[in-house]
Amino acid sequence: MIFLFLVLTTITVAVGVGGPRFISSGDSFRIPLDAKVVLPCNISRVEDSLVVWKQGNRVIFAGDLRVRKDERFNLDKTDLVITYARAKDSGIYTCQIETKTKTNMLWIEHTLLVETPPVVYTTQSAVSKMVGDSVDLTCNVRGSPLPTVMWSMENRDLSGLDHSTSDTGSVLYLSNLTPSYSGNYTCTARNGVGLPVSRSISLTVLYGPQIEVEREIVHSRTGCTASLVCFVSGYPVPEVKWFLNTLLLVPSRDIV
């Protein structure tokens, strides 16, 4: 019994030493759009093991067999070569060794980021809200790496406005709207690839007529001209009419 135990132990050690192993290690790659990248997977003692390349859970190659029908993906021995890289190629790539017994499975992972410039698009170009309301302004952004988004109003920051943003910055929340909130709001996306990109959304705050008189009492003499001044605001712009008691005044030679 002791002899058999020693023989079995010796065989187990020999298989472990002689099996396949990785010479390469996992790494991160960041490349521009349309570039070429080689993801290394150097293996010693491949022997009858099967080398499988995957992006996420999707198999690209199983040995020399092309599973993913995309001619931009090729093998250089056991390395994976990607040409004309696209944004969708970003992700986790796994080089995996499968033995006949499917035991002691080995793998390494590479992270690939394909840089793409920021893109901004909106479904809103002009928004109208009542005074006191709240509003959400949205700029949808994409790019790799994910762009950061900054908001401005009429080329100035948003200090003094009751506002907040979403975690990604793509949504601007404005609360307790007043007429001073009316204007053009611009979202600017940047990720260090190419130039920043901006889009604008026009916000109009609607409010009822507001009247302020210059002087409540105006003195004049017979035959002289008297000017009665009132300042009117509101949006949409109010229509202004003058009355003497209940009599509507219409423009004439004496009334302008």
Side-chain angles (χ1 to χ4, degrees):
M1 292 297 293
I2 295 175
F3 175 77
L4 288 175
F5 175 78
L6 292 175
V7 170
L8 289 174
T9 303
T10 304
I11 293 174
T12 302
V13 172
V15 172
V17 171
R21 65 183 181 87
F22 288 107
I23 300 174
S24 304
S25 57
D27 205 348
S28 296
F29 298 83
R30 182 168 173 167
I31 61 172
L33 196 66
D34 291 326
K36 172 184 175 180
V37 64
V38 179
L39 304 182
C41 186
N42 297 321
I43 304 170
S44 66
R45 301 186 183 93
V46 176
E47 299 172 349
D48 58 354
S49 300
L50 182 68
V51 178
V52 178
W53 272 102
K54 298 188 293 184
Q55 181 188 10
N57 293 321
R58 184 179 182 184
V59 176
I60 305 171
F61 283 97
D64 293 328
L65 176 64
R66 180 188 299 274
V67 178
R68 181 169 175 175
K69 305 303 180 184
D70 190 333
E71 297 299 325
R72 298 179 304 111
F73 290 80
N74 290 283
L75 290 177
D76 181 4
K77 297 181 181 178
T78 52
D79 295 341
L80 181 66
V81 182
I82 306 173
T83 54
Y84 303 106
R86 301 173 185 171
K88 67 179 182 180
D89 298 331
S90 294
I92 304 295
Y93 288 80
T94 304
C95 179
Q96 181 176 301
I97 302 173
E98 293 188 6
T99 60
K100 282 187 175 181
T101 59
K102 295 186 177 180
T103 60
N104 194 28
M105 192 175 295
L106 304 174
W107 68 87
I108 59 170
E109 291 183 344
H110 296 299
T111 302
L112 175 62
L113 175 65
V114 181
E115 299 175 337
T116 57
V119 176
V120 179
Y121 58 98
T122 67
T123 57
Q124 306 162 297
S125 59
V127 179
S128 296
K129 286 288 183 179
M130 292 297 298
V131 66
D133 284 351
S134 299
V135 67
D136 301 344
L137 305 180
T138 302
C139 276
N140 298 297
V141 300
R142 64 175 184 265
S144 183
L146 184 66
T148 58
V149 180
M150 296 293 294
W151 286 88
S152 61
M153 187 258 197
E154 304 291 354
N155 296 319
R156 57 185 173 86
D157 62 29
L158 303 181
S159 58
L161 301 183
D162 187 355
H163 74 281
S164 60
T165 58
S166 62
D167 292 339
T168 61
S170 59
V171 183
L172 174 65
Y173 306 105
L174 298 170
S175 304
N176 304 313
L177 298 180
T178 67
S180 64
Y181 282 57
S182 293
N184 290 319
Y185 290 80
T186 301
C187 63
T188 302
R190 51 171 56 86
N191 66 352
V193 182
L195 298 175
V197 179
S198 299
R199 291 292 182 272
S200 294
I201 302 172
S202 175
L203 173 63
T204 301
V205 179
L206 307 176
Y207 62 104
Q210 298 179 359
I211 299 176
E212 181 182 352
V213 296
E214 185 178 59
R215 288 182 291 176
E216 293 186 359
I217 299 176
V218 177
H219 299 279
S220 185
R221 291 183 294 180
T222 303
C224 293
T225 299
S227 296
L228 307 180
V229 180
C230 71
F231 303 99
V232 180
S233 62
Y235 199 88
V237 178
E239 180 185 5
V240 179
K241 294 182 179 181
W242 284 89
F243 291 82
L244 175 59
N245 296 322
T246 58
L247 177 64
L248 174 64
L249 301 178
V250 294
S252 66
R253 184 173 61 85
D254 297 323
I255 302 175
V256 180

